C-alpha cells in the first residue's frame, strides 16, 4: 500500500462523490492532491465502497469490480473527452456494480439499480447492515502464515484485509479503514522481520490502546469504545460524546491574551503556537462546534496579524475574548433562528423553505441535487434542534450539507456567488452562504421543457414517493419562475396538491392534468393569483 498522507485522503473522502478524474493526461502533476489520490488509490477506494455497500459480495466479485474501475481510470487518463469520463466517480462505481452480470439479483439489490442519481445512492446506503452476524467470523492467520502470504502477494494480501474489515464495518468512516490498513501493513512489515512474530503483532494499533489504558485520566466517555474491537474502537473514540470541562481548568488561558510576549511567541513558531491556542480554547469550550472553534482561531489569527504591527500589541489583543464572544454570538443566533423556524413551521414547511432557498441560490443544480440538499438540511435540524448540544450539532451537520454543495462545486462552476462561498475559508463558509441572495445571473428556461407534464403514475404514488414528486414540482417551479416570492410558491404548491387530488378522481387523469396544470404555469404575471383563487374555490 502506498504511504497515505492524512491531509490528502481525508480531504478526498469529504469530496469523493463530486470529483471526476483530471481534465487532461498531461495535467496529472498539476491536479489537486484529492484527484491524484483517486487515481493512485482507485483499487482501495473501490474495495471499501463495494464491500460496505454489498457486504455479501465475495472477494472474487470485489476483484472484478476493481478491475473494471481501474480500466475506467486508465481509459479516462488517456482520453478525457470520452463521454463517460465526465461522470462522477461514485456514479461510475454504482453503475459498474449494477451491470455486473447476475450480481443485483444474487445479492438482492436490484431495486437500487432501478433508481438513478441521488435516489440510487441513498438506496445503497440504506442497504448497509449494521448487524453483521450473517457473515462468517473474521479469518485469522497464524503469524508465520500471515507473513508468508504478505511476502508472496502483498497487493492481494492488503486488498483482502481491506475487504474483510470494510464489509464488517459498513458505517465506519472510510479514512479510518484506510488508516487501519496503512498501519496494518506497517505493523506486518515490522513484525515479519522479528523472531518473535506473534509477540510483535500483539504489542502493536498504539495510540488508541494508550488512550484506553489511560481512559480514567483522559475521558469519562470512552469506556464503551474501549471495549470494542479495532477498528471500531478508534472510530468510536473519535465520535464519542464530548467530555466535561475539568473543574480546575480556568476559563481563559492567559498566555494568549494577557502575556506581554504573545507576538514574539507567535513569530517564533506560528504553526505550533496556533495549534496550541486551538487546543487550549477547544478544551475550555466543549459546547462549541468544530467550525465555530476554527472561526475563533481565524479571528484570533487575524487579530494578532493586526495587533503585532501596532506600537502597543498587548493593549490591542487584550480584548480578544470580546471578539471571540461576538463571533460565537453571531453563529449562535443563526442556529437559534433555524431551530425556532423548525419548531414553528414543522418538518414539511421547513423543507419547502430550504428547497426554495437553495434553488434560488443555485438554480443551476439539477432537481435531484437540490431536493437531496434540502432533505439533508431538514435532517440536520430535526436531528439536532431537540438536543442539549443544539448549537454544536446544528453547526456541524449544516456545515456538512454545505460541504456536499461545495463538493458539487469542485466538479463544476455553479454561479459566481456560490463559487465564492465555496472557495472562502472553510470556517466562515456558512456565514458566507447566510448572506447570499437569489442568483441574479440565472436565466430561467423559456418553456417548461416537459417538466410539468404529469401522467397517471402520479395517482399511484403514495406517501414518500408522492412527497418526492411534490418536492420536485416545487424545485422546478422555482427554476421556471425564480421571481416569485416564497408565499406565492408555497401557495401554488398547495394548489398543485389540490389539483392532483381532483385529477386523480377524474375519469381521465392525464387530460385533467393537462387542462388544469399546464395552462396555469404560463399565464401573465397578473394571473398567478387568479389561478390560485380558482383552485381554492374548486377544492373539496
Amino acid at each position: 500500500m502506498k504511504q497515505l498522507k492524512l491531509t490528502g485522503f481525508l480531504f478526498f473522502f469529504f469530496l469523493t462523490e463530486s470529483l471526476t478524474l483530471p481534465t487532461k493526461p498531461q495535467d496529472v502533476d498539476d491536479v489537486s492532491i484529492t484527484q491524484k489520490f483517486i487515481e493512485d488509490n482507485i483499487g482501495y477506494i473501490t474495495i471499501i465502497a463495494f464491500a460496505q455497500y454489498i457486504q455479501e459480495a465475495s472477494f472474487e466479485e470485489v476483484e472484478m469490480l476493481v478491475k473494471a474501475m481501474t480500466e475506467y481510470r486508465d481509459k479516462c487518463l488517456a482520453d478525457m473527452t470520452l463521454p463517460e469520463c465526465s461522470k462522477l466517480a461514485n456514479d461510475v462505481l454504482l453503475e459498474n456494480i449494477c451491470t455486473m452480470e447476475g450480481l443485483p439479483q444474487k445479492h438482492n439489490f436490484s431495486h437500487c439499480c432501478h433508481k438513478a442519481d441521488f435516489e440510487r445512492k441513498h438506496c445503497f446506503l440504506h442497504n448497509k447492515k449494521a448487524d453483521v452476524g450473517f457473515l462468517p467470523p473474521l479469518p485469522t492467520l497464524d503469524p508465520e502464515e500471515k507473513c508468508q502470504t504478505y511476502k508472496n502477494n502483498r497487493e492481494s494480501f492488503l486488498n483482502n484485509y481491506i475487504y474483510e474489515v470494510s464489509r464488517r464495518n459498513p458505517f465506519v468512516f472510510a479514512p479510518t479503514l484506510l488508516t487501519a490498513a496503512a498501519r496494518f501493513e506497517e505493523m506486518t512489515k515490522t513484525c515479519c522481520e522479528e523472531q518473535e512474530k506473534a509477540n510483535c503483532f500483539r504489542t502493536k494499533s498504539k495510540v488508541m490502546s494508550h488512550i484506553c489504558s489511560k481512559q480514567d485520566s483522559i475521558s469519562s466517555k470512552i469506556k464503551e469504545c474501549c471495549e470494542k474491537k479495532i477498528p471500531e474502537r478508534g472510530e468510536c473514540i473519535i465520535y464519542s460524546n464530548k467530555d466535561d470541562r475539568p473543574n480546575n481548568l480556568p476559563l481563559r488561558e492567559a498566555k494568549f491574551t494577557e502575556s506581554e510576549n504573545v507576538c514574539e511567541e507567535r513569530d517564533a513558531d506560528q504553526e505550533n503556537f496556533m495549534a496550541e491556542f486551538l487546543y487550549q480554547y477547544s478544551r475550555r469550550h466543549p459546547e462549541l462546534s468544530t467550525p465555530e472553534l476554527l472561526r475563533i482561531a481565524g479571528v484570533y489569527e487575524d487579530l494578532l496579524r493586526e495587533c503585532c504591527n501596532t506600537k502597543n500589541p498587548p493593549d490591542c489583543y487584550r480584548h480578544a475574548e470580546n471578539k471571540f464572544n461576538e463571533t460565537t454570538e453571531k453563529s449562535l443566533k443563526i442556529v437559534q433562528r433555524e431551530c425556532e423556524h423548525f419548531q414553528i413551521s414543522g418538518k414539511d414547511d421547513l423543507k419547502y423553505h430550504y428547497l426554495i432557498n437553495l434553488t434560488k441560490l443555485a438554480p443551476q443544480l439539477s432537481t435531484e441535487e437540490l431536493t437531496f440538499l434540502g432533505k439533508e438540511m431538514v435532517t440536520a435540524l430535526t436531528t439536532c434542534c431537540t438536543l442539549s448540544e443544539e448549537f454544536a450539532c446544528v453547526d456541524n451537520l449544516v456545515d456538512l450539507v454545505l460541504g456536499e454543495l461545495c463538493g458539487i462545486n469542485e466538479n463544476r462552476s455553479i454561479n459566481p456567488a456560490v463559487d465564492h462561498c465555496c472557495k472562502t475559508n472553510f470556517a466562515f463558509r456558512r456565514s458566507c452562504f447566510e448572506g447570499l441572495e437569489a442568483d441574479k445571473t440565472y436565466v430561467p428556461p423559456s418553456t417548461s421543457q416537459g417538466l410539468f407534464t404529469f401522467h397517471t403514475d402520479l395517482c399511484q404514488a403514495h406517501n414518500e414517493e408522492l412527497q418526492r414528486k411534490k418536492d420536485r414540482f416545487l424545485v422546478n417551479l422555482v427554476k421556471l419562475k425564480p421571481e416569485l416570492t416564497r408565499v406565492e410558491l408555497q401557495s401554488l404548491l398547495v394548489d398543485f396538491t389540490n389539483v392532483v387530488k381532483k385529477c386523480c378522481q377524474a375519469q381521465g387523469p392525464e387530460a385533467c392534468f393537462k387542462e388544469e396544470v399546464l395552462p396555469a404555469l404560463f399565464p401573465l404575471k397578473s394571473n398567478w393569483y387568479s389561478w390560485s383563487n380558482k383552485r381554492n374555490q374548486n377544492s373539496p
Side-chain angles (χ1 to χ4, degrees):
M1 178 175 285
K2 294 176 173 63
Q3 291 297 313
L4 300 179
K5 293 185 179 178
L6 288 175
T7 50
F9 76 72
L10 279 172
F11 182 63
F12 159 73
F13 275 102
F14 284 123
L15 300 178
T16 262
E17 295 172 5
S18 56
L19 293 175
T20 53
L21 294 173
T23 52
K24 300 192 286 292
Q26 62 266 33
D27 289 341
V28 168
D29 291 335
D30 300 324
V31 297
S32 71
I33 190 169
T34 305
Q35 291 170 309
K36 184 72 170 126
F37 185 85
I38 297 176
E39 299 160 32
D40 292 345
N41 297 279
I42 192 77
Y44 301 137
I45 295 163
T46 301
I47 292 168
I48 290 174
F50 191 15
Q52 288 190 326
Y53 281 144
I54 315 298
Q55 294 154 271
E56 304 89 342
S58 68
F59 183 59
E60 290 69 29
E61 289 166 336
V62 172
E63 286 187 312
M64 288 169 60
L65 185 66
V66 169
K67 184 173 183 291
M69 289 298 290
T70 304
E71 288 173 356
Y72 163 77
R73 176 202 62 186
D74 294 341
K75 186 198 305 183
C76 291
L77 283 175
D79 184 3
M80 270 302 296
T81 62
L82 294 171
E84 61 266 38
C85 297
S86 63
K87 294 180 180 178
L88 306 184
N90 195 61
D91 290 346
V92 175
L93 178 73
L94 294 181
E95 280 178 19
N96 275 282
I97 290 175
C98 286
T99 54
M100 290 178 73
E101 189 175 355
L103 197 73
Q105 295 76 24
K106 179 181 177 183
H107 297 306
N108 195 30
F109 60 89
S110 303
H111 59 292
C112 294
C113 295
H114 293 146
K115 300 179 185 291
D117 304 318
F118 284 105
E119 289 186 2
R120 176 183 282 185
K121 172 191 164 186
H122 270 261
C123 183
F124 273 98
L125 288 173
H126 287 302
N127 198 54
K128 292 183 177 186
K129 303 170 188 69
D131 182 358
V132 293
F134 63 94
L135 294 176
L138 187 67
T140 55
L141 294 176
D142 170 82
E144 292 289 347
E145 188 182 355
K146 188 184 292 184
C147 291
Q148 192 57 48
T149 306
Y150 174 71
K151 183 180 176 183
N152 290 343
N153 193 332
R154 167 188 171 274
E155 194 73 16
S156 178
F157 176 79
L158 291 173
N159 285 352
N160 194 268
Y161 172 81
I162 294 172
Y163 157 74
E164 293 289 3
V165 175
S166 299
R167 69 200 290 234
R168 287 170 175 80
N169 298 276
F171 298 103
V172 170
F173 195 34
T176 302
L177 298 174
L178 281 179
T179 304
R183 287 176 179 161
F184 177 70
E185 180 178 24
E186 185 182 320
M187 175 181 69
T188 302
K189 282 196 293 191
T190 302
C191 291
C192 287
E193 293 172 1
E194 299 287 331
Q195 288 292 326
E196 297 291 330
K197 293 179 176 59
N199 259 350
C200 178
F201 278 112
R202 275 195 299 269
T203 57
K204 290 296 181 182
S205 30
K206 292 177 180 179
V207 175
M208 294 307 169
S209 297
H210 170 75
I211 289 175
C212 287
S213 70
K214 306 284 186 184
Q215 58 181 288
D216 290 339
S217 59
I218 292 176
S219 174
S220 60
K221 306 288 177 73
I222 59 172
K223 184 177 185 297
E224 289 185 5
C225 295
C226 290
E227 292 170 356
K228 293 180 180 289
K229 296 177 182 177
I230 296 173
E232 298 105 305
R233 181 190 295 174
E235 189 72 7
C236 179
I237 289 173
I238 289 169
Y239 289 106
S240 61
N241 287 333
K242 297 173 182 179
D243 207 7
D244 301 322
R245 189 169 64 84
N247 292 329
N248 60 350
L249 189 67
L251 278 174
R252 295 185 184 183
E253 173 54 73
K255 170 181 177 178
F256 297 102
T257 56
E258 296 171 23
S259 167
E260 298 289 320
N261 305 313
V262 169
C263 295
E264 289 79 2
E265 290 188 43
R266 183 203 66 157
D267 293 342
D269 189 347
Q270 188 166 345
E271 187 172 338
N272 281 331
F273 179 83
M274 287 306 302
E276 187 184 353
F277 168 78
L278 193 54
Y279 161 71
Q280 292 292 358
Y281 199 87
S282 299
R283 66 198 291 249
R284 285 166 169 77
H285 295 278
E287 77 282 2
L288 298 183
S289 64
T290 300
E292 184 60 22
L293 290 165
L294 291 173
R295 284 175 208 129
I296 297 294
V299 166
Y300 182 58
E301 194 167 21
D302 289 344
L303 181 67
L304 289 188
R305 192 177 295 118
E306 177 187 326
C307 292
C308 291
N309 286 318
T310 63
K311 289 182 180 179
N312 194 337
D315 272 358
C316 178
Y317 58 65
R318 196 161 281 133
H319 306 292
E321 285 288 341
N322 293 337
K323 294 272 190 186
F324 303 158
N325 293 337
E326 286 171 14
T327 303
T328 300
E329 191 63 31
K330 182 179 177 183
S331 302
L332 185 60
K333 282 180 179 175
I334 294 174
V335 169
Q336 287 173 335
R337 186 168 66 245
E338 286 170 329
C339 284
E340 282 171 10
H341 192 165
F342 161 62
Q343 283 150 6
I344 293 169
S345 305
K347 190 174 177 180
D348 285 343
D349 280 350
L350 187 70
K351 180 176 62 176
Y352 299 143
H353 166 80
Y354 280 113
L355 288 176
I356 292 169
N357 266 15
L358 287 165
T359 308
K360 282 178 176 280
L361 289 181
Q364 297 84 356
L365 295 182
S366 71
T367 303
E368 289 74 20
E369 287 166 335
L370 288 163
T371 53
F372 170 77
L373 291 169
K375 284 189 286 186
E376 291 290 289
M377 287 293 284
V378 173
T379 299
L381 295 181
T382 53
T383 301
C384 301
C385 285
T386 55
L387 300 179
S388 57
E389 293 188 351
E390 174 185 279
F391 171 64
C393 182
V394 172
D395 205 33
N396 282 326
L397 289 188
V398 169
D399 195 76
L400 286 177
V401 179
L402 294 179
E404 293 265 8
L405 172 56
C406 289
I408 296 169
N409 177 249
E410 280 288 315
N411 193 46
R412 64 182 191 268
S413 176
I414 296 174
N415 62 53
V418 171
D419 295 350
H420 167 72
C421 286
C422 286
K423 288 170 185 170
T424 198
N425 185 312
F426 161 78
F428 295 94
R429 179 168 64 189
R430 189 168 177 214
S431 57
C432 182
F433 275 101
E434 186 71 15
L436 290 189
E437 296 179 351
D439 178 29
K440 292 182 171 57
T441 67
Y442 173 68
V443 179
S446 55
T447 67
S448 66
Q449 300 172 337
L451 292 173
F452 299 101
T453 301
F454 299 102
H455 304 286
T456 52
D457 65 332
L458 184 57
C459 299
Q460 274 93 53
H462 295 289
N463 300 329
E464 193 176 340
E465 182 59 29
L466 181 60
Q467 191 58 56
R468 274 199 295 269
K469 289 180 182 292
K470 286 170 66 176
D471 295 346
R472 290 175 59 85
F473 171 84
L474 180 59
V475 168
N476 288 331
L477 190 58
V478 180
K479 285 180 173 231
L480 188 69
K481 298 284 184 180
E483 73 279 4
L484 293 180
T485 66
R486 182 176 290 106
V487 173
E488 290 173 315
L489 289 162
Q490 289 192 279
S491 174
L492 288 171
L493 181 63
V494 171
D495 296 335
F496 171 69
T497 304
N498 291 332
V499 167
V500 171
K501 188 174 181 180
K502 175 185 175 182
C503 289
C504 287
Q505 292 172 348
Q507 285 191 339
E510 287 199 24
C512 178
F513 286 136
K514 188 173 181 181
E515 179 185 344
E516 295 283 341
V517 179
L518 281 178
L521 292 175
F522 300 99
L524 294 173
K525 254 185 174 181
S526 60
N527 289 338
W528 276 96
Y529 279 113
S530 67
W531 179 63
S532 177
N533 291 334
K534 178 187 171 188
R535 296 284 68 75
N536 290 335
Q537 289 166 8
N538 293 337
S539 296

